[in-house]
Each structure stands twice: as C-alpha cells, then as structure tokens.
Amino acid sequence: MTAVALIGGTGLTVLEGLEVLRRDTVDTPWGAPSAPLVHGLVHGCPVVFLARHGPAGTIPPHRVNYRANLSALQEAGARRVIAVNAVGGIRPGLDVPGRLVVPHQIVDYTYGRAHTFFEDDLEHVMHVDFTEPYCQPLRETLIEAGRRAGLEVVGRGVYGATQGPRLETAAEVDRLERDGCDIVGMTGMPEASLARELGLCYAAIALVANAAAGRGPGVLSMEEIERNLREGMRSVRSLLEQAIPLA
Ligand code: HPA
C-alpha cells in the first residue's frame, strides 16, 4: 500500500494520532522541502506528513518551496496528496470560523512563485490539463470522511489563491467574490498545479479561520485567526483520521 501524503498548513504542523516511524531529511533537484518528511501510520495506514510552513511554522506562503515539497512527496512514493489550507470565508455561510470546505475550483492570483516543473531543458512544451484542478475521487473521500466524523463539510467551493503574506483589502475581497471565489487563502497555488504536473492525485480540505477582509466586524487580528485555527484543527484532525484509511 503506498502512503497517502498530508501537507499540513498553518495550525497543523504536527498530526496527533500519527504513530511516527521515522523522520527523513531529504533534498530534491528543486531544493529542500519545508521540513523533514514524517513517515508514520494512522490506524495502521501509511502516511507521509509534511509541514508546509516548516516545523516551527516560520516559512511564509510566498517563500514555501512548493516544487521541493511536491517532488519530495512523490519521491517518497506518495500518489495521493491531501492538503490542509487555512482560508478566509467570502461567500455568505462560509464566512464563519470553523467551516470546512472541500474546494472544487481555483482562481490563481499569485505571482512570482516558482510554479512549474517544466521550466527549461524541455524536449517539448508541457501544458497539463487543469480544467478540474482537484482529484475528484480524493475530494469524494474527504467529503465522506467528514460525514463519518460527524462533521458538516461544504462539498464545493472556489478557492481564490492570493499572494500574501498580507491579508486582502475589502475591495480585493469584493473582486474575489465577483470572480466567483467562495474562500481565499495563500497556499493553494501553485501547490495544486505542481501536483498535477507530477501526476499526483491532489485534493484539499480548507478550514475557515476568519470572515475575509471587510466581511466581518472590524479588522483582522492574527490572534483571532490563530485561535480559530487551533479550535478548527480539531475537526480537521478527526476528518483526516477518517480520510486516511479511505484514501
Ligand atoms: N485571506 C487569505 N488567506 C487567509 C485568510 C484570509 O482572510 N485567512 C487565513 N488565511
């Protein structure tokens, strides 16, 4: 059985319930991944866990070496990748901290990130299909895992990927909404498209940490976002525990 890869985001740098077998510090042609790969078992199923923002959570979204991360997970034998993303909620109903969303689409607003494995030395130009950016069977697994964990999971949503590390202006969030985005985060891209370039089956579970800028009362504080993430990650963990044996 090949391991399922888990990419933990802000608030999920360790995975409780993971029986750690070993930690591998690896390198890739694209540089070092964010953290050592943690190989372990969840309910007896092999998992390889990677903390996207580093073991201490110190790598900001625009500095994450997404290519190294995906390449390291592929080299470790993973074929399916479950990503965890903290997001702001835009669509009414999703603008509530703690909401869980399995996104089905992406709009990419990021720039200046190393976003492809097909840069040079090509025999021919590679254009991967990205019509459906997430792997549908793995999305369904996440939705089913949420049901088994007794959680309310929103089974669709358009993820707007912004550059960060600053949060958005209220007008930017209005634009995101006009563009059809339901949630906004900083790490969904180029992670998803790099996974596609490698032929990995990739899906995400997004945790709403806050109402997006201008959608809640007052300004956004990191303390509040972090508190909401700490609380919400409990649900994410119980969803993942159900998802891994199914994935
Ligand atoms: N915007 C972008 N990324 C985020 C947000 C947000 O409001 N909250 C958590 N990650």
Side-chain angles (χ1 to χ4, degrees):
M1 189 197 269
T2 60
V4 179
L6 273 184
I7 304 181
T10 309
L12 194 78
T13 47
V14 289
L15 192 66
E16 287 146 28
L18 176 70
E19 188 192 323
V20 177
L21 300 176
R22 65 177 200 281
R23 288 186 168 77
D24 275 354
T25 301
V26 300
D27 204 6
T28 79
W30 312 97
S34 299
L37 302 185
V38 182
H39 291 263
L41 298 171
V42 171
H43 298 313
C45 302
V47 171
V48 48
F49 179 79
L50 175 59
R52 185 190 286 118
H53 298 286
T58 49
I59 308 173
H62 62 294
R63 289 285 187 210
V64 170
N65 188 338
Y66 295 95
R67 290 193 297 194
N69 287 356
L70 271 305
S71 168
L73 292 173
Q74 188 191 42
E75 273 303 299
R79 296 292 168 265
R80 285 146 300 154
V81 181
I82 299 173
V84 180
N85 300 106
V87 295
I90 300 174
R91 195 209 309 163
L94 294 188
D95 52 354
V96 183
R99 276 269 185 276
L100 295 173
V101 185
V102 176
H104 72 293
Q105 274 296 336
I106 297 175
V107 183
D108 186 13
Y109 303 90
T110 66
Y111 48 87
R113 300 183 181 190
H115 67 286
T116 180
F117 290 107
F118 303 122
E119 232 161 28
D120 38 38
D121 291 335
L122 300 178
E123 277 171 23
H124 55 92
V125 182
M126 268 302 288
H127 302 289
V128 291
D129 174 73
F130 205 44
T131 310
E132 300 296 335
Y134 297 105
C135 175
Q136 182 61 17
L138 195 53
R139 290 188 62 254
E140 282 164 19
T141 295
L142 293 175
I143 293 165
E144 171 61 16
R147 203 189 57 75
R148 291 190 186 190
L151 299 163
E152 201 184 308
V153 174
V154 178
R156 280 168 75 79
V158 178
Y159 180 110
T162 55
Q163 177 70 356
R166 68 165 176 83
L167 294 158
E168 298 70 41
T169 67
E172 285 169 340
V173 172
D174 289 342
R175 176 173 77 133
L176 288 165
E177 185 172 36
R178 286 195 300 276
D179 284 355
C181 297
D182 299 307
I183 51 179
V184 53
M186 300 174 192
T187 51
M189 284 294 286
E191 201 171 83
S193 55
L194 288 168
R196 180 62 53 84
E197 285 189 351
L198 293 181
L200 299 170
C201 169
Y202 175 98
I205 177 78
L207 170 64
V208 175
N210 54 281
R215 298 302 157 105
V219 297
L220 294 167
S221 82
M222 271 314 286
E223 292 72 42
E224 186 195 331
I225 290 177
E226 279 166 6
R227 180 165 20 87
N228 291 338
L229 284 177
R230 263 194 308 279
E231 283 168 20
M233 282 302 165
R234 268 190 251 133
S235 313
V236 173
R237 287 192 182 96
S238 61
L239 184 147
L240 291 173
E241 282 190 19
Q242 296 291 329
I244 286 159
L246 296 174

